[in-house]
Amino acid sequence: MTERAGVPMTLAALRALARAKLRAVGLAEDHAEAVAETMVAGERDGCASHGIYRLLVAAASVKAGVVVPDAVPVVSRPGKALVRVDGGGGFAQLAFARGLPALVEAARAHGIAALALNHVVHFAALWPEVETLAREGLVALACTPSHAWVAPAGGTQPVFGTNPIAFGWPRPGRDPFVFDFATSAVARGEIELHRRAGLPVPDDWGYDADGAPTTDAEAVLDGAMRTFGGHKGSALAAMVELLAGPLIGDLTSRESLAVDGGRGGSPVGGELIVAIDPAGFLGAETAGHLARAEAMFAAIEAQGARLPSARRYAARAHSLSEGVVVPAALHAEIMAIGAE
Ligand code: NDP
Ligand code: PYC
């Protein structure tokens, strides 16, 4: 869902604007750089719900005191194949960047390794992380809980977060295969964009506070979202809660919402990222797995179906040459950040 009229910008100008606005609300330079990068990447790839719109969300989280603006991530190695980064209450982007070299090194050394980000604030999409790992030749999986906004299948009251799962697979000489989606019917950000535009949402996205299906975006935001795929999305949402919550010693979405205490900030908690080096499973004979994967991708595309990430890379190519158009109302709100 996109607003049409807008302000054309180069990616460099958008990046500079994002950094300046994040600095204006008090975010430290290293965080501002990492956070701006992920928002610009989302806008560049045509992901409106996790593009530059997130500047409003991140600035609000800083102003609400939910984020430690100058947090210094601390990297540790609790096990040979385990990397932990305590984000100190800062945004997840810098914590990921600080843990990335150790994760790649551990995956190559042991075949499989995990990175636990703890005590971070998460407002963003996960695909930049798995894409980065896939470009290193690693297979990657990432997930994070959020805030309890989503009802389990069969219920109408929020328990789960929107709990995204992202996956990346390297492709020789091509952009990686990547998917990244919420286990809710849609990301909450998409419902927020509908509310901002005054548009109804499909009647299978959520319930109002009384548990009745509704097409009113505001009512869904105040009530409960649905999982995608009924009981299947519900089980996957529970899995994300368990893997990136209790398993890594961090918060469930219910706990995270309680910690927020009504401040309306982005979720605080953990993220789990698993990286697999195929050489660890296959020894020196690693060429075959990539060729067989390509055969599967070709079989998908041969029948007219598209691969997840095909739209993203097309949008990226366009934005890299033409820049992006920021919706006018959003641009005005962004310009007001730090001017209050
Ligand atoms: P979508 O339902 O739009 O699904 C996006 C994924 O599905 C992309 O990988 C997309 O590829 C792929 N896809 C979409 N349509 C097709 C198709 N027809 N054929 C093949 N593949 C397709 O995304 P969501 O609304 O669920 O999530 C959007 C973003 O929100 C995610 O990036 C997620 O990480 C983020 N999010 C973050 C949260 C957090 O707590 N940090 C919580 C929830 C969501 P392509 O990109 O090429 O279109
Ligand atoms: O869109 O559901 C969402 C979301 C939650 C946290 C970041 N994005």
Side-chain angles (χ1 to χ4, degrees):
M1 213 228 63
T2 51
E3 300 167 55
R4 297 247 177 257
V7 180
M9 296 185 76
T10 64
L11 295 178
L14 190 65
R15 188 175 292 110
L17 176 63
R19 282 169 74 159
K21 291 299 179 182
L22 290 164
R23 293 288 287 142
V25 293
L27 207 61
E29 180 63 39
D30 49 3
H31 280 284
E33 189 178 331
V35 165
E37 201 55 47
T38 200
M39 294 169 174
V40 171
E43 197 67 27
R44 176 199 66 198
D45 284 11
C47 306
S49 69
H50 287 76
I52 204 63
Y53 161 67
R54 289 282 146 183
L55 199 42
L56 305 182
V57 176
S61 287
V62 176
K63 284 198 251 175
V66 171
V67 187
V68 176
D70 56 354
V72 178
V74 176
V75 182
S76 62
R77 291 289 285 267
K80 284 182 182 165
L82 295 179
V83 182
R84 185 184 295 280
V85 182
D86 184 332
F91 283 121
Q93 283 65 40
L94 191 62
F96 175 77
R98 294 287 156 80
L100 178 63
L103 175 63
V104 172
E105 178 268 309
R108 294 211 171 110
H110 304 290
I112 183 167
L115 168 63
L117 303 183
N118 287 117
H119 198 196
V120 292
V121 178
H122 221 305
F123 67 83
L126 301 185
W127 62 263
E129 298 167 2
V130 295
E131 185 181 328
T132 299
L133 288 161
R135 289 189 187 281
E136 293 281 343
L138 303 172
V139 179
L141 192 63
C143 62
T144 181
S146 56
H147 275 165
W149 292 315
V150 181
T156 58
Q157 301 304 312
V159 174
F160 303 133
T162 43
N163 298 7
I165 300 174
F167 176 79
W169 177 275
R171 302 184 69 187
R174 309 184 67 152
D175 289 319
F177 171 88
V178 168
F179 72 74
D180 175 20
F181 49 72
T183 49
S184 44
V186 67
R188 190 171 183 83
E190 193 62 36
I191 303 183
E192 288 166 359
L193 292 182
H194 278 73
R195 178 186 54 74
R196 285 167 57 84
L199 293 173
V201 297
D203 64 3
D204 58 355
W205 281 11
Y207 307 99
D208 66 20
D210 297 323
T214 179
T215 60
D216 182 335
E218 184 92 50
V220 175
L221 294 173
D222 291 341
M225 299 168 65
R226 291 201 202 192
T227 57
F228 86 93
H231 65 280
K232 300 181 186 183
S234 194
L236 288 173
M239 179 192 78
V240 171
E241 295 284 336
L242 298 170
L243 289 179
L247 182 70
I248 63 168
D250 223 308
L251 303 178
T252 64
S253 295
R254 279 157 54 91
E255 292 165 343
S256 180
L257 191 59
V259 165
D260 185 73
R263 288 176 292 174
S266 287
V268 180
E271 178 182 346
L272 177 67
I273 301 125
V274 177
I276 302 170
D277 181 8
F281 289 91
L282 298 167
E285 300 300 317
T286 53
H289 76 287
L290 293 175
R292 291 172 56 223
E294 290 305 313
M296 185 194 75
F297 296 141
I300 294 170
E301 291 182 311
Q303 52 185 286
R306 79 160 169 93
L307 297 181
S309 62
R311 181 214 53 82
R312 162 182 314 290
Y313 294 133
R316 184 179 303 181
H318 183 267
S319 300
L320 286 170
S321 67
E322 307 297 324
V324 293
V325 178
V326 180
L330 175 59
H331 186 266
E333 280 184 76
I334 289 172
M335 295 313 287
I337 293 174
E340 310 87 22

